[in-house]
């Protein structure tokens, strides 16, 4: 669970296009925007700051290279890292570099920063051949969270529980990007996992 301070907090969410929340919601809120709504309005933390530094197309090595710009300069109280959907295109040969970059991202923040790591969500059936290594990257995130003491938000497991062996296309805009419904599901699962409750009716 996230520890809420008595005073204002800074929240940083970094990752790829799914964090950035571009294009695929078609005007709906991305999951970080839902987090913002919950924290700054529904929880009445009006002077908290929620910063979204997700960059479309990026992976862990890219985020690490831009660590100061995306993360460090904000000195976050909470850092959310959601990566792997692009990284997995390198196949299992890319896992060592992913492990190393993710661990260095986590190690690069203050000891007081509460780190949250997210597994990628499922991709649709039409995208699974291209992203065949995605389950291995999800497992890598779980291992890194356990090793570093980071909080884990396991979207892959959540989506599998809901969809089973069916194509999760109802929550997707294309083979790899969640639609507005998928983002809402990601937000709800994140909030519940972090002990922040669910979204009130908007």
């Amino acid at each position: 669970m996230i520890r809420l301070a008595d005073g204002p907090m800074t929240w940083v969410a970094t990752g790829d296009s799914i964090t950035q929340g571009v294009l695929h919601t078609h005007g709906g809120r991305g999951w970080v925007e839902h987090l913002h709504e919950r924290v700054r309005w529904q929880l009445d933390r009006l002077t908290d700051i929620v910063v979204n530094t997700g960059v479309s197309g990026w992976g862990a090595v890219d985020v690490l290279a831009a660590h100061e710009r995306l993360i460090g300069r904000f000195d976050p109280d909470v850092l959310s890292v959601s990566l792997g959907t692009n990284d997995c295109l390198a196949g299992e040969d890319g896992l060592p570099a992913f492990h190393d970059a993710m661990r260095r991202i986590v190690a690069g923040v203050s000891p007081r920063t509460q780190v949250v790591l997210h597994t990628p969500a499922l991709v649709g059936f039409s995208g699974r051949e291209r992203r065949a290594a995605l389950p291995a990257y999800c497992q890598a995130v779980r291992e890194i969270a356990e090793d570093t003491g980071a909080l884990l938000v396991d979207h892959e497991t959540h989506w599998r529980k809901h969809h089973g062996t069916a194509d999760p296309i109802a929550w997707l805009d294309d083979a790899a990007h969640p639609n507005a419904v998928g983002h809402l599901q990601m937000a709800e699962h994140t909030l519940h996992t972090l002990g922040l409750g669910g979204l009130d009716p908007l």
Side-chain angles (χ1 to χ4, degrees):
M1 293 178 61
I2 288 293
R3 301 181 303 278
L4 296 176
D6 292 334
M9 295 171 64
T10 299
W11 308 62
V12 171
T14 198
D16 51 32
S17 60
I18 298 172
T19 294
Q20 190 177 356
V22 292
L23 182 62
H24 295 283
T25 65
H26 300 281
R29 285 177 168 170
W31 73 265
V32 179
E33 293 173 295
H34 287 297
L35 173 68
H36 177 279
E37 174 80 12
R38 179 64 180 162
V39 170
R40 296 194 65 207
W41 181 249
Q42 294 175 358
L43 296 181
D44 199 31
R45 301 186 60 84
L46 302 182
T47 57
D48 278 19
I49 300 297
V50 179
V51 183
N52 185 339
T53 67
V55 181
S56 179
W58 277 24
V61 171
D62 304 301
V63 171
L64 176 63
H67 194 289
E68 178 56 28
R69 177 156 188 79
L70 299 185
I71 301 167
R73 65 183 172 135
F74 300 111
D75 189 23
D77 298 288
V78 179
L79 171 64
S80 163
V81 183
S82 181
L83 292 162
T85 302
N86 295 321
D87 307 81
C88 76
L89 295 172
E92 296 199 8
D93 289 345
L95 281 168
F98 180 73
H99 266 277
D100 178 67
M102 289 288 285
R103 291 174 190 274
R104 290 170 65 188
I105 290 167
V106 173
V109 297
S110 166
R112 68 170 176 76
T113 300
Q114 301 176 75
V115 178
V116 182
L117 299 183
H118 301 249
T119 64
L122 291 178
V123 297
F125 286 178
S126 64
R128 291 189 181 176
E129 182 176 356
R130 186 169 182 235
R131 288 181 164 83
L134 186 60
Y137 282 77
C138 292
Q139 183 57 31
V141 173
R142 296 182 189 104
E143 292 169 3
I144 295 163
E146 182 174 2
D147 292 346
T148 63
L151 295 168
L152 175 67
V153 180
D154 196 339
H155 296 290
E156 185 197 44
T157 296
H158 175 66
W159 284 43
R160 286 194 185 281
K161 284 181 179 177
H162 182 87
H163 295 285
T165 59
D167 192 342
I169 196 63
W171 289 5
L172 295 168
D173 186 54
D174 64 11
H177 295 88
N179 58 20
V181 174
H183 274 273
L184 179 59
Q185 288 293 331
M186 291 181 70
E188 289 278 16
H189 184 57
T190 298
L191 290 167
H192 282 294
T193 302
L194 300 186
L196 300 176
L199 288 163
D200 295 334
L202 301 181

